[in-house]
Amino acid sequence: MTLTDGSMASVRKEWARETIGQGFRLDCFKRWNVGFSGRVPQNNLTVQINENFTGKVAPAGYFYFTWAIPKDDIAVNDNLVQNTGW
């Protein structure tokens, strides 16, 4: 094990390495209030390259980081209120 500088940047990088492919990335962006931008793929043969992949940009606080509550859930539970913008 190697020591890091303990900065948030190093924590984020380590978290990404430890949880890759587990579906937590979007949650992390929201929790840390950071955005992301597209990147160059490691292997061009395994992905479809287009501007939605390499040119995608989502700033911190991006609207779609918060998803809509399904209408069926709201219909059966009067305590639920739809997320703003949905």
Side-chain angles (χ1 to χ4, degrees):
M1 180 171 127
T2 59
L3 297 177
T4 66
D5 61 8
S7 68
M8 274 308 292
S10 65
V11 169
R12 289 181 191 136
K13 285 181 182 179
E14 184 62 24
W15 182 261
R17 284 190 287 265
E18 290 184 11
T19 61
I20 193 159
Q22 296 179 14
F24 297 122
R25 199 75 176 134
L26 188 61
D27 296 333
C28 292
F29 290 141
K30 182 174 175 146
R31 179 175 58 247
W32 294 328
N33 195 33
V34 296
F36 69 92
S37 59
R39 60 188 185 274
V40 177
Q42 293 178 352
N43 183 341
N44 291 345
L45 301 175
T46 59
V47 295
Q48 182 180 20
I49 298 174
N50 59 45
E51 69 180 35
N52 288 326
F53 181 83
T54 57
K56 184 68 174 178
V57 176
Y62 188 51
F63 172 76
Y64 288 112
F65 282 171
T66 303
W67 293 356
I69 299 172
K71 290 181 181 181
D72 291 343
D73 291 359
I74 292 174
V76 298
N77 187 341
D78 294 334
N79 295 317
L80 292 177
V81 177
Q82 185 59 269
N83 290 323
T84 305
W86 291 97

